[in-house]
Structure formats: structure tokens, C-alpha cells
Amino acid sequence: MSLKEQFGKDVLLTGWGHSKFGKLTDETLESLIVQVSTEAIRNSGLEPRDIDEIYLGQFNSGMQPLGFTSSLALQLSEDLANVPATRTENACASGSAAFQQGVKAVLAGTSRNVLVIGAEKMTDAGADVVGAALLGASYEMAGKASTTGFTGLFAEVAKHYEKRYGAGIHGSGFAGGLGDILGSIAAKNHHNGMDNPYAQMHRDFGEEFCRTVSEKNPMVAEPLRRTDCSPVSDGAAAVVLSVGPASGAATEPVRLAGFGHANDFFPVERRDPTEFAATRVSWERALGMAGVGIDGLDFAEVHDCFTIAELIMYEAMGLTPRGEGSRAVQEGWVYKDGKLPVNVSGGLKAKGHPVGATGVSQHVIAAMQLTGTAGAMQLPNARRGAVQNMGGVGIANYVSVLESI
């Protein structure tokens, strides 16, 4: 059963906007929100007065002094005065939390056109502030000192994975085991990011560099090197959700075919560190609503905050059995010319990870693919894709299935 069959109406992505990601010293949180919101509304063919509701995804957690940001989008036009606006927060999945709240407003019939924004300004804060803010998404480490921050938490996941599975399927060219697999994922995403004009990092490091510990690629938290970690970023993205297309839209709309959301238990002892069980459930819910299997997707944008997260995602989405995620790399499935290209945008690894912006950015990149407007990133014959966004270590999980019309 499709979303439309289940709820009796379509939810369409009718316009979108995206800023550059990186250290944006000339931008403020407000200017980024206004920039992408203006672009999204204009490209949808609507006017600001047509927007019925606004959702803003932002984590913040002390990285910005302004902690009450829901009305910042109103700055783009007097016609947005009195429009309901709500900030959503669900750690690194705040953007997709905003997206799904917007979807539910459309499905409920309370809004015909919803503006969804994801935004974060992280580089104004010092490294210690950013590290402490991100650790606020850990049940055990919130408020505690750490030399490795959130990298250390995913390093523990990698250690558990290697202890249980090794590197998965061993093959020629991967003598370094799990470290080589993770290095290949990093190299893939950096290579893909070269084609993304919004990406923070435009460096094609290559596999040897990404697999090797060096002065320029130090170990951050064993076994994760610097190239295994997404950067600290500023940026924003926005999308307009509508019940129907407007005349004058810049592109054809994109249909939401299905969505899923699942949260896991917060204490680490209540979760299998290599299972990402709620992540798997969010995939099952989204694919089930869309009425497709993993083989019905043409691409996926997934939450590779660390390379080990992307590896486990291959298993959580059902691309490979548990413990065999390395097959997707070794057999080329997740590369641009593979059977399921993953993170053609460069992912969080190369595109950047302005926390609240990430989920909305993934939806925008997917919409561009499905409308043939992705430029150098464009895949041939992209008709259906998925977006997966995660908060914490597999805690808050969102998946969307989008398709062209």
C-alpha cells in the first residue's frame, strides 16, 4: 500500500533550496535560513503568503546563544507574519524530524503548503563547546569530559563490529581488514563530493590516504581516522511540501512514497552496538509504506557521520546480511555505477554535517536527482531513492522514500 493509498492524498516536494556547507564566516544562522527559504519558496512557484506552516530543524545544544529560532524564517517576508512556526530537535536527525512533522501537517489537512528548513551554525563555537554539545546526544557521556567526543562512541561500535564479524567478507585488496573497508568508504564519498557544488570538502584523497594513518590523517579514536569522521559545518537547506504542484514551479515535483521513524532505547546496555535495530525498523516502515523493496531503489543518501555508520547501514537497509556490509564495497554495489549508489552527494563525510541541516539537505539532494537537476552529481535514470537520517548512535531514525512523477 502506497502513502497515497493509505492516506488518500499525495505529499509532494515542490521546491527546494540549499546553501554551501562549510565554515561560513560571512553568514549567520538567520541569513542562512532566509537564503534557503527564499530559494525554496521561489522554486516551488508559490509566494510567501501561500505558506501555511513552518518547521525548522536545529540541534544547537549550546553552539549558538540564540536558543529560540522558530520565527527566523519570517524574516524573509512580511507576508509570513502570524504563520505558525515550530522548531524541532532530535539530535543529528533534527532536519528529518522537521520534514516528517511537515508531512504529517499536510496529511492531517491542516496545511496545504509547509516550509521545512534545516539549519545549523556550528563553527562560531569552540571545539570544546561543539564537542560537549554533541555529547549531549549520549545517555552516558552527556555533561562529561571526553578527549575523543562522539568519535569515541562510534569507535566503540567499530570495535564491537570487528570483534563480532572481522571485516566481513575478506577479499583481495583489503588486507587491512575493517580499516581498509572503512577507508574505501571514505575515499568513495570524498570522490563523489568532488561533483557536489555545495560540499564542504573538495578533496579526492584516494584509498591509500584514507586507509593509512599519517600526520595528515591521524587516528582520532581507534580504529577511526580523521578521514572516517564528518567535519564540523555551517549550512542550511529547505523544502516546500504541498498537496499539489503550483504553476510556475522551477521543476516537476517529487512524490513522497513512504516514510518511517523509529527510536531505540537510550542507555547503551539496552542496545546491541552492531545491530542498529531501530534504524532497521525505520527502513522497514518506509519501504513497506512505499510498497517497494531495497531492489526498487535507484540510489540512497545515508547518514555517514562516521564510516562505520555507513557500513552498518548497508546491513540495516537490507542490502547485505548482517556482518557482510563489506560486500557492498568489495563488489562495487554502492559506487556511482553500482546497483545501489550510496551518498553520491559525498555524504556527511565530504558534503559536511551541519547537524540540523543534514536531514533536509539529504531530501533536497534526492529531489534534485529525481528531477534531473543534480548537475555533475546526476545519476542516469534515477526514478526512486531513499534518504536515511540518524540522531545519536542509532537512537532517532528516519527514512523517506521519494520518487519522480
Side-chain angles (χ1 to χ4, degrees), residues 106-162:
V106 173
L107 291 176
T110 57
S111 297
R112 292 181 57 81
N113 300 297
V114 178
L115 173 64
V116 176
I117 311 156
E120 209 75 67
K121 192 76 168 66
M122 302 175 71
T123 67
D124 293 345
D128 56 337
V129 175
V130 173
L134 296 177
L135 280 176
S138 166
Y139 183 84
E140 288 77 19
M141 293 303 297
K144 297 180 181 178
S146 171
T147 58
T148 58
F150 230 77
T151 308
L153 303 182
F154 274 88
E156 288 301 310
V157 171
K159 290 175 184 176
H160 282 290
Y161 187 93
E162 189 164 31

Side-chain angles (χ1 to χ4, degrees), residues 4-351:
K4 185 174 183 179
E5 289 170 336
Q6 184 170 341
F7 294 101
K9 65 176 71 175
D10 269 328
V11 178
L12 303 179
L13 287 70
T14 56
W16 42 85
H18 202 297
S19 78
K20 183 80 169 63
F21 280 6
K23 185 176 175 61
L24 307 179
T25 55
D26 295 332
E27 300 285 355
T28 64
L29 182 67
E30 180 179 327
S31 69
L32 287 167
I33 289 171
V34 170
Q35 173 195 331
V36 297
S37 300
T38 301
E39 185 180 353
I41 294 172
R42 181 180 64 243
N43 290 342
S44 71
L46 300 172
E47 298 292 337
R49 63 176 177 270
D50 299 317
I51 299 299
D52 300 311
E53 195 165 359
I54 298 169
Y55 285 96
L56 168 65
Q58 185 206 14
F59 179 51
N60 193 352
S61 194
M63 292 183 288
Q64 285 282 311
L66 183 63
F68 178 43
T69 53
S70 56
S71 279
L72 286 180
L74 274 61
Q75 297 295 86
L76 73 92
S77 173
E78 292 288 335
D79 290 336
L80 288 176
N82 303 315
V83 170
T86 304
R87 174 189 164 215
T88 67
E89 187 283 307
N90 221 356
C92 296
S94 295
S96 286
F99 180 86
Q100 287 202 11
Q101 288 304 116
V103 167
K104 291 172 183 177
V106 173
L107 291 176
T110 57
S111 297
R112 292 181 57 81
N113 300 297
V114 178
L115 173 64
V116 176
I117 311 156
E120 209 75 67
K121 192 76 168 66
M122 302 175 71
T123 67
D124 293 345
D128 56 337
V129 175
V130 173
L134 296 177
L135 280 176
S138 166
Y139 183 84
E140 288 77 19
M141 293 303 297
K144 297 180 181 178
S146 171
T147 58
T148 58
F150 230 77
T151 308
L153 303 182
F154 274 88
E156 288 301 310
V157 171
K159 290 175 184 176
H160 282 290
Y161 187 93
E162 189 164 31
K163 183 178 180 180
R164 182 174 296 181
Y165 300 118
I169 305 300
H170 293 279
S172 60
F174 294 89
L178 181 63
D180 278 2
I181 294 293
L182 299 182
S184 292
I185 291 172
K188 168 183 72 74
N189 291 348
H190 277 294
H191 179 75
N192 288 347
M194 296 292 289
D195 291 332
N196 185 350
Y198 305 119
Q200 178 170 352
M201 302 183 73
H202 285 117
R203 290 283 303 277
D204 190 357
F205 289 106
E207 288 198 348
E208 183 177 355
F209 180 87
C210 292
R211 289 178 173 186
T212 306
V213 176
S214 65
E215 183 179 349
K216 293 185 177 180
N217 189 26
M219 191 72 74
V220 180
E222 192 173 0
L224 302 181
R225 300 144 297 206
R226 180 177 292 165
T227 49
D228 293 306
C229 311
S230 58
V232 172
S233 316
D234 306 328
V239 63
V240 174
L241 301 175
S242 305
V243 294
S247 60
T251 70
E252 289 294 313
V254 168
R255 178 185 291 116
L256 177 65
F259 62 93
H261 172 202
N263 269 52
D264 210 335
F265 294 105
F266 213 178
V268 69
E269 68 268 13
R270 300 198 66 181
R271 291 177 280 117
D272 183 321
T274 68
E275 173 65 15
F276 282 40
T279 311
R280 183 182 298 273
V281 170
S282 65
W283 275 100
E284 291 170 350
R285 289 173 175 169
L287 292 170
M289 185 183 293
V292 299
I294 194 71
D295 57 352
L297 302 178
D298 298 312
F299 66 92
E301 289 287 323
V302 309
H303 194 97
D304 62 321
C305 50
F306 301 93
T307 51
I308 184 63
E310 179 168 329
L311 178 67
I312 293 177
M313 206 53 56
Y314 303 154
E315 302 170 15
M317 71 169 72
L319 184 60
T320 75
R322 293 188 186 101
E324 297 184 19
S326 63
R327 287 183 59 194
V329 178
Q330 292 173 300
E331 300 183 25
W333 300 348
V334 292
Y335 290 83
K336 269 190 173 181
D337 58 353
K339 69 178 185 179
L340 184 65
V342 173
N343 286 337
V344 173
S345 68
L348 286 59
K349 180 78 242 354
K351 182 180 62 176

